[in-house]
Amino acid sequence: MTDKKALLTIKDNGQDKMIELPVYSGSLGPDVIDIKSLTANGFFTYDPGFISTASCESKITFIDGDKGLLLHRGYPIEQLAEHSDYLETCYLLLYGELPDKKDKAYFENTIMNHTMVHEQMIDFFSGFRRDAHPMAIMCGVVGALSAFYHDSLDVTNERHREVAAYRLISKMPTLAAMAYKYSIGQPFIYPRNDLSYAGNFLHMMFATPNSESEVNPVLARAMDKILLLHADHEQNASTSTVRLAGSSNANPFACIAAGIAALWGPAHGGANEAVLNMLHEIGDEANIDTFIARAKDKNDPFRLMGFGHRVYKNFDPRATVMKETCNEVLNELGLHDDPLFKIAKRLERIACEDEYFIEKKLYPNVDFYSGIILKALGIPTEMFTVIFATGRTPGWIAHWHEMISGEYRIGRPRQLYTGPEKRNFIPEDQR
Ligand code: SDX
């Protein structure tokens, strides 16, 4: 319980109505005002885009946008990026603690030994056009997993939830690589359980049946870091979508498919693809000022993709790590003179010195550099958000599981209605 209270006074035509609302404190971050009692008092709150709304209580990830702080179960993202790896971070998000040697080995072996998908899943792909966007394919095939795994659909069953979590983390890279291979008309490459999670993904993406292929460990480490940096991010649009879908007791595969659909938007996870398209459109450092001017022009819908964030009003700590990784990959591949990277670095410098971006606190976000790394790894732009979705899967599952394993109700927001008042039907001959 709480002894903190918020006192709301509604002044209406000289009539004052006082409503007392409980205030709760978390372990970090702002206090929250519990507004549940407002409905009984004849009011809703109004917060389109949920700029000031805490939708739930959570112990998974904390972001301080002013300090550029991102904690997963209390551990700073910079420390996880330097000392941990993606699967260990998946375990941390799911179970709340870093695994000991035995638990880590069990988790990794379980994930890496369930990377194959049902052979009949292959038939889904042939129904898509070869030029289908891979995110369209992922929305379809991830939801379709629920057609195969009837033994992990009961959301009230703890074991079903855990099995579904493992299956999703295991199989997302396989489905992602299949979507890519299908788009280029190459045969699917089966997963290899002897490789690392990220190494196996690069293997399934770039190996071919007619030649031996080795995965470059520097590139595998970079891919692992990209997945780690995308693993979770509090109540972002796609995670909130997963929670809302899950609140209706939809099965976990359907909930993750809903998250994938929400992530696809260029304002969200589609931004990494949009950053590359923007850098291509800029084409030359000489054109940067024109695009900066367009980004500042209220009458121009153009926004500088990879900049700005709902929460980070300072730097995005993930972008800092991503920039280092970008340098490592470009140096490893001898691409440090990559023209797009040079445009990106100059764009970042100009934007961060520009009064408009400083005043609106628009800094590079996680998507700004990830696209350049992925391009350097030979991954086509359309696959960027698929990789974001793959990385974000443990975060989506952790939030879904946190809600389902606790007390929850179906999410059902209300509205401010400004449409027509009640009126009678008009017969056609009187319209
Ligand atoms: C991700 O939520 C998450 O955690 C998301 C994410 C995650 O890990 O899940 O971090 C991943 O989605 C990162 C964001 C990727 N998106 C982009 O890079 C697309 C470009 N960015 C913008 O679309 C925008 O910044 C958003 C969508 C990211 C944030 O939008 P908000 O919070 O609604 O911010 P806003 O639109 O209210 O912007 C405030 C002002 C506005 O101007 P005014 O109305 O105050 O005059 O800043 C302007 C905006 O016009 N602005 C930009 C801008 N972003 C905001 N102007 C130019 N370029 C931009 N990129």
Side-chain angles (χ1 to χ4, degrees):
M1 288 312 286
T2 177
D3 55 5
K4 275 189 192 173
K5 301 287 181 200
L7 214 46
L8 180 62
T9 304
I10 312 282
K11 290 182 177 296
D12 185 2
N13 291 333
Q15 297 288 323
D16 282 9
K17 180 170 189 172
M18 310 277 278
I19 303 172
E20 190 175 275
L21 300 167
V23 175
Y24 306 129
S25 301
S27 45
L28 292 171
D31 287 352
V32 297
I33 300 173
D34 181 341
I35 54 166
K36 278 197 292 292
S37 65
L38 286 185
T39 307
N41 284 282
F43 292 94
F44 297 147
T45 57
Y46 184 63
D47 185 22
F50 309 121
I51 292 174
S52 302
T53 295
S55 61
C56 61
E57 176 184 343
S58 181
K59 298 175 172 31
I60 298 170
T61 289
F62 176 74
I63 302 170
D64 183 320
D66 293 326
K67 295 178 185 157
L69 186 66
L70 169 56
L71 307 178
H72 289 322
R73 302 289 191 176
Y75 296 101
I77 190 68
E78 305 86 342
Q79 293 184 29
L80 291 172
E82 187 177 351
H83 303 297
S84 186
D85 60 41
Y86 179 64
L87 281 187
E88 185 173 73
T89 302
C90 290
Y91 183 100
L92 174 66
L93 290 169
L94 292 175
Y95 295 105
E97 297 296 339
L98 291 167
D100 62 20
K101 202 175 178 67
K102 179 174 71 63
D103 289 343
K104 181 172 179 173
Y106 174 78
F107 184 75
E108 286 179 345
N109 291 334
T110 307
I111 294 295
M112 292 312 296
N113 283 282
H114 290 85
T115 49
M116 285 213 304
V117 294
H118 192 293
E119 197 68 1
Q120 276 181 246
M121 288 289 292
I122 291 175
D123 300 337
F124 283 118
F125 287 79
S126 57
F128 290 100
R129 286 172 44 139
R130 289 285 180 178
D131 61 355
H133 195 291
M135 282 296 278
I137 296 175
M138 292 301 283
C139 289
V141 295
V142 172
L145 288 171
S146 52
F148 287 87
Y149 296 117
H150 298 153
D151 60 344
S152 60
L153 297 180
D154 177 359
V155 300
T156 64
N157 181 317
E158 171 76 27
R159 182 60 186 149
H160 278 216
R161 296 201 295 264
E162 188 170 49
V163 168
Y166 281 47
R167 278 176 167 152
L168 281 158
I169 294 172
S170 301
K171 301 176 192 304
M172 279 294 280
T174 308
L175 293 171
M178 289 171 78
Y180 170 60
K181 285 299 197 188
Y182 184 74
S183 72
I184 58 173
Q186 283 190 3
F188 299 136
I189 297 294
Y190 285 100
R192 275 182 46 187
N193 302 348
D194 61 316
L195 296 176
S196 70
Y197 187 90
N200 175 47
F201 174 60
L202 293 178
H203 166 71
M204 294 187 290
M205 284 283 290
F206 298 118
T208 54
N210 54 352
S211 66
E212 287 302 311
S213 72
E214 284 299 310
V215 176
N216 179 325
V218 173
L219 305 188
R221 177 74 186 134
M223 178 53 73
D224 189 272
K225 205 169 283 186
I226 286 180
L227 295 169
L228 188 156
L229 291 171
H230 286 85
D232 188 47
H233 213 241
E234 198 209 72
Q235 307 307 327
N236 58 84
S238 53
T239 300
S240 300
T241 301
V242 171
R243 279 182 174 261
L244 199 54
S247 73
S248 74
N249 290 342
N251 74 70
F253 304 104
C255 294
I256 299 306
I260 292 172
L263 187 76
W264 193 356
H268 189 14
N272 48 20
E273 176 177 355
V275 166
L276 254 288
N277 294 338
M278 176 187 72
L279 293 175
H280 280 298
E281 194 183 351
I282 292 174
D284 186 291
E285 292 184 37
N287 301 329
I288 289 176
D289 291 340
T290 305
F291 281 83
I292 296 272
R294 284 187 58 196
K296 291 154 58 171
D297 178 356
K298 280 282 152 238
N299 300 317
D300 188 330
F302 173 79
R303 285 194 165 176
L304 217 51
M305 302 317 281
F307 280 79
H309 199 277
R310 169 62 54 79
V311 177
Y312 289 123
K313 298 309 174 190
N314 199 322
F315 65 97
D316 179 337
R318 301 169 298 173
T320 308
V321 179
M322 200 68 88
K323 186 174 179 180
E324 289 161 25
T325 306
C326 194
N327 276 310
E328 287 163 17
V329 168
L330 293 176
N331 288 336
E332 173 70 15
L333 296 172
L335 295 174
H336 36 70
D337 287 335
D338 177 284
L340 288 182
F341 185 51
K342 289 170 79 172
I343 292 174
K345 281 210 288 193
R346 186 157 154 69
L347 179 63
E348 181 192 17
R349 193 167 53 250
I350 294 172
C352 291
E353 290 161 2
D354 184 285
E355 199 41 51
Y356 173 93
F357 287 82
I358 293 168
E359 185 248 327
K360 293 192 185 295
K361 300 180 183 291
L362 302 174
Y363 296 89
N365 57 45
V366 66
D367 295 296
F368 186 65
Y369 280 103
S370 60
I372 296 169
I373 302 174
L374 294 172
K375 178 183 177 297
L377 294 177
I379 291 167
T381 312
E382 301 73 36
M383 280 294 293
F384 290 2
T385 310
V386 173
I387 289 165
F388 191 150
T390 302
R392 184 54 53 88
T393 296
W396 286 332
I397 294 168
H399 283 276
W400 168 77
H401 187 270
E402 180 178 63
M403 178 183 73
I404 294 291
S405 55
E407 282 187 28
Y408 66 99
R409 302 177 68 181
I410 189 166
R412 204 311 187 179
R414 303 304 302 273
Q415 63 181 6
L416 171 65
Y417 177 71
T418 55
E421 296 185 25
K422 184 177 175 185
R423 55 182 173 165
N424 295 319
F425 185 78
I426 303 168
E428 187 179 346
D429 57 5
Q430 295 173 32
R431 292 173 196 165

